[in-house]
Amino acid sequence: MRSVKSLVAAGAASLLSSVAFAADMPSIMPPPAYAPPVVEDFGGWYLRGDIGFSNQRVKTKEWVSYPSLLSLDQDNGFDTAGIFGIGVGYRVNNWFRADVIGQYRGNSNLHATDRFVFSNAGVPTPGVDTYTGSKSEWLVLANGYVDLGTWWCVTPFIGAGVGFSQNTISHFVDTNTPTLGVASAPPGSTWNFAWALHTGLAYRVTPNFTVELGYSYVSLGNATTGVVSDYTGFANNNRMGFKDITSHDLKLGVRWDLSSPPVYAPPLMRKG
């Protein structure tokens, strides 16, 4: 009888010990710990479009020498004109990207004069040539950009590009005073090496859509008219040349990223 009571007592003690141990354990196991995902730089293709306007200058005009030229003072200028461009590019990582763009630069009106003095039978004689016409370009550039960091979705950038420009002079007319002679030329086009420097601000509206406000200094090379003939139709194979055409461009652009950034799924939580 005593052995039975001892066995029952031992079993009861074991049961109470197990209940007390279970009470000390948490009722729900904690979820497993996961390391945070690593955010990496990634590249991707993008398309771009730009509109804007130019502010163009030409350094000098080249013309057949006036007979017995004594002095010459030039005034050269082009009006503002529209810019329309498209391109395709690749973003290598979060700080460097490159693209190739094509631009049509609309007709910019020419306003220029030559004020000169030449020797007419030994007598200094003043004269003025007034020029009108228009200029347009097709421009192709390969560009590289450095993005300088992002703050509140705004990214400043700098860049440079090289390429080619087809410069066309059309509707050229030369009016001379005091002789009132008028000369004109058919359109003339010239391909030139071109280069540009860029800077601006980019604002990321969505992960795949960015708006840019940019400035570019563009060197477009030279341009020339067709053969100039006077009002009688006489032509001596002379052409009017325009040297060192440059432009200060202001543009509004958009970029569409064709590759989305990687998406990380949240870790699964273990249920208790």
Side-chain angles (χ1 to χ4, degrees):
M1 187 66 178
R2 182 176 297 178
S3 61
V4 174
K5 290 182 179 181
S6 299
L7 183 61
V8 171
S14 177
L15 178 61
L16 291 175
S17 176
S18 299
V19 170
F21 178 77
D24 291 337
M25 296 180 62
S27 59
I28 300 177
M29 295 294 291
Y34 290 91
V38 178
V39 179
E40 299 178 350
D41 288 353
F42 62 93
W45 293 96
Y46 64 84
L47 300 177
R48 70 173 303 132
D50 300 275
I51 59 173
F53 59 89
S54 63
N55 184 11
Q56 303 185 73
R57 296 288 185 271
V58 58
K59 185 176 181 181
T60 60
K61 298 187 302 295
E62 293 181 334
W63 187 232
V64 61
S65 298
Y66 296 100
S68 304
L69 182 66
L70 300 178
S71 67
L72 175 64
D73 179 31
Q74 292 190 337
D75 182 15
N76 308 310
F78 290 99
D79 289 343
T80 295
I83 299 172
F84 310 91
I86 58 174
V88 60
Y90 187 80
R91 186 156 63 96
V92 179
N93 50 42
N94 284 340
W95 62 270
F96 182 76
R97 55 191 167 87
D99 58 36
V100 176
I101 64 169
Q103 284 184 356
Y104 173 70
R105 306 167 63 89
N107 285 323
S108 175
N109 294 327
L110 165 69
H111 303 285
T113 57
D114 284 350
R115 290 174 289 273
F116 57 90
V117 177
F118 66 96
S119 178
N120 184 8
V123 178
T125 303
V128 177
D129 274 329
T130 302
Y131 307 101
T132 59
S134 62
K135 178 177 64 65
S136 62
E137 299 94 20
W138 288 99
L139 176 65
V140 178
L141 288 176
N143 304 291
Y145 308 89
V146 176
D147 292 327
L148 303 177
T150 301
W151 296 267
W152 301 285
C153 299
V154 176
T155 303
F157 64 86
I158 57 175
V162 295
F164 297 93
S165 177
Q166 184 190 49
N167 306 328
T168 300
I169 303 292
S170 54
H171 308 106
F172 179 79
V173 176
D174 171 14
T175 304
N176 177 260
T177 305
T179 64
L180 297 181
V182 177
S184 61
S189 296
T190 307
W191 281 99
N192 291 267
F193 173 76
W195 57 270
L197 300 175
H198 312 291
T199 188
L201 298 173
Y203 179 75
R204 174 160 288 189
V205 181
T206 71
N208 294 91
F209 182 71
T210 302
V211 178
E212 286 185 2
L213 179 63
Y215 162 81
S216 298
Y217 175 82
V218 186
S219 176
L220 297 162
N222 305 326
T224 184
T225 67
V227 175
V228 178
S229 58
D230 63 19
Y231 65 97
T232 66
F234 174 75
N236 57 3
N237 205 35
N238 289 320
R239 302 168 186 263
M240 175 64 80
F242 300 84
K243 292 193 66 176
D244 299 332
I245 301 169
T246 59
S247 182
H248 299 273
D249 296 348
L250 187 63
K251 299 170 295 180
L252 181 66
V254 294
R255 299 201 315 260
W256 293 272
D257 289 340
L258 301 180
S259 300
S260 298
V263 177
Y264 298 98
L268 296 176
M269 302 297 292
R270 179 182 296 175
K271 295 182 179 180

